[in-house]
Amino acid sequence: MTIDEAPRDVLRGGPRELLRWVATGAAVSRADLSRLSGLSPSTVSQRVEALISQGLLEETGAGRSRGGRRPRQLAVPTGGAVVGAIDLGAHHARVGTLDLSGRVVQARTLPVRIEDGPEAVLGALLAEVTMLVGGDPAASADGSAADALRGIGIGIPGPVQHATGRIVSPSRMPGWNGFDVAAFCAGRVDVPVIVDNDANLMALGAHRTAHSELDHAVYIKAGTGIGSGVISSGRLHRGAQGSAGDISHCRVVADPAPPCTCGNAGCLEAVASGAALVTALRGQGVPVSDLTGVIRLIDDGDRQATALARQAGRAVGEILAVVVNFFNPQVVAIGGRLADCEPLLASMRATLYERCLPLATQTLLIERVAAGQDVGITGAAHLVIDHVVAAA
Ligand SMILES: [Zn+2]
């Protein structure tokens, strides 16, 4: 499932951008779209008709009159069509349905045992999406629920070859290496399934929710693992194989350098991920079983846990400084469960300012991802929406 993403300048007034303007409320009429895009009214009308015939836009009666005939208002349908989304984590999955504007219709969090393997885990999550669609009165309002589902976006907490939907060498996902998620899903559901890694989905969801006006952004996802997603010229930058933004195995200064799941030592993931913090604390004799326990200790001001969080923040800051100097983003945002960890955030920020060129940080926004627990499924939905619109 490849997505033909054109650079932003080519997209000006393209169907996806027209749809987005209506979805965000920036435009409610053909005249608005014409003004925003700079396209002629006839070109806008043609594109709007195509979107309406695909069920991606609808007309909702009369708008406010400006003297002449009252214009018909455009809207993104809130019933009749939904996209499914799965954001798989190490221990939980967020599953939901969203409308074609990217708004969450229904969502729930399910416990997951990743070690049960891909067939069991994905099979159960696909069944959950199907059940949500079936139980959604809006989706079954016109036509059957099955017809309402336009596609499913899936985020995987490991490297994904985006073009094929195959998982490649994930750490902490025993039994998943080489698994073809897209092919597995194609045998079970009759709609397009688009697969990407969880950091890319967080980046897309966060960017579309806030700062979609900024063209260059880096999103760090710091949870059990650690990764990043890159928005360049307004679109997700995946690189040649889909591994762009994977900072997990970049080497950081650490003494001693802890061994990493990849076989090297001193990788960012082995120093600064949630899993690394759990391992390091246990190594110091602190009886902690998971990331929740670590976060609780940090919140309580535990000396050992706080010191490790600061060290992790410096490590993230070191890698991020290279990224910022190289890429010159307008915003760097951190999400994931460690994003609320104040000592980590403070030392990341300090290291970033210390190591970056002043020109790169002068106007740089450094912030938390604000979109909350649905940011991943929002990103997954936008992958599907972009695909559906491109196909239309
Ligand atoms: Zn490594």
Side-chain angles (χ1 to χ4, degrees):
M1 297 292 163
T2 54
I3 298 181
D4 61 325
E5 284 184 298
R8 170 161 284 207
D9 51 347
V10 180
L11 276 178
R12 195 89 193 146
R16 264 179 281 185
E17 196 168 33
L18 298 185
L19 186 65
R20 199 167 306 147
W21 278 325
V22 175
T24 57
V28 295
S29 66
R30 289 171 171 76
D32 291 342
L33 291 174
S34 181
R35 177 174 48 78
L36 287 167
S37 64
L39 295 171
S40 70
S42 62
T43 305
V44 166
S45 249
Q46 213 171 23
R47 292 184 183 176
V48 165
E49 288 309 324
L51 288 168
I52 290 173
S53 70
Q54 294 290 329
L56 300 171
L57 274 183
E58 64 184 12
E59 288 183 299
T60 58
R64 205 152 30 91
S65 169
R66 293 194 184 86
R69 193 158 55 91
R70 301 221 296 172
R72 286 161 299 173
Q73 276 199 322
L74 296 171
V76 173
T78 50
V82 292
V83 296
I86 297 171
D87 182 20
L88 180 60
H91 306 292
H92 295 93
R94 187 80 174 154
V95 175
T97 55
L98 297 90
D99 69 22
L100 291 174
S101 72
R103 270 187 300 256
V104 176
V105 179
Q106 301 183 84
R108 63 182 58 162
T109 301
L110 303 172
V112 157
R113 283 165 43 90
I114 211 96
E115 62 273 23
D116 288 346
E119 284 97 350
V121 170
L122 290 172
L125 295 175
L126 282 176
E128 187 70 23
V129 169
T130 312
M131 204 188 73
L132 283 180
V133 175
D136 179 6
S140 25
D142 52 351
S144 76
D147 291 342
L149 186 64
R150 294 302 185 96
I152 300 175
I154 303 180
I156 300 288
V160 173
Q161 193 176 33
H162 177 71
T164 59
R166 197 180 280 275
I167 299 176
V168 186
S169 307
S171 50
R172 292 186 307 276
M173 293 178 78
W176 290 68
N177 185 27
F179 190 76
D180 191 335
V181 178
F184 174 81
C185 297
R188 278 159 182 78
V189 290
D190 201 20
V191 292
V193 173
I194 301 171
V195 188
D196 211 327
N197 75 69
D198 58 343
N200 276 353
L201 293 194
M202 190 193 83
L204 191 61
H207 185 252
R208 295 282 171 89
T209 310
H211 295 316
S212 64
E213 78 286 4
L214 300 180
D215 280 343
H216 310 292
V218 175
Y219 296 90
I220 305 287
K221 183 167 185 188
T224 304
I226 192 158
S228 80
V230 179
I231 301 287
S232 176
S233 299
R235 63 185 180 134
L236 202 51
H237 175 78
R238 294 193 178 86
Q241 293 295 326
S243 74
D246 191 345
I247 52 174
S248 351
H249 303 288
C250 293
R251 194 183 178 122
V252 292
V253 180
D255 183 29
C260 180
T261 50
C262 73
N264 283 327
C267 296
L268 183 65
E269 181 175 293
V271 174
S273 68
L277 295 183
V278 173
T279 306
L281 272 174
R282 276 192 194 148
Q284 295 179 12
V286 180
V288 68
S289 59
D290 55 14
L291 183 53
T292 307
V294 175
I295 292 171
R296 197 176 304 130
L297 284 174
I298 295 168
D299 287 345
D300 289 346
D302 177 85
R303 192 176 49 80
Q304 284 161 292
T306 305
L308 281 171
R310 287 213 185 92
Q311 188 190 337
R314 271 195 301 279
V316 176
E318 270 177 35
I319 299 300
L320 208 42
V322 176
V323 171
V324 167
N325 282 335
F326 179 80
F327 177 61
N328 189 200
Q330 292 149 305
V331 58
V332 165
I334 182 164
R337 295 182 65 203
L338 283 171
D340 292 328
C341 174
E342 203 51 59
L344 187 149
L345 215 60
S347 60
M348 181 196 90
R349 190 183 286 266
T351 308
L352 203 48
Y353 280 119
E354 187 187 309
R355 299 284 177 87
C356 283
L357 294 169
L359 188 60
T361 49
Q362 230 164 39
T363 59
L364 177 68
L365 299 170
I366 304 172
E367 56 188 41
R368 285 192 182 93
V369 169
Q373 65 176 343
D374 287 333
V375 68
I377 58 170
T378 303
H382 278 290
L383 272 188
V384 176
I385 293 164
D386 285 358
H387 177 78
V388 168
V389 175

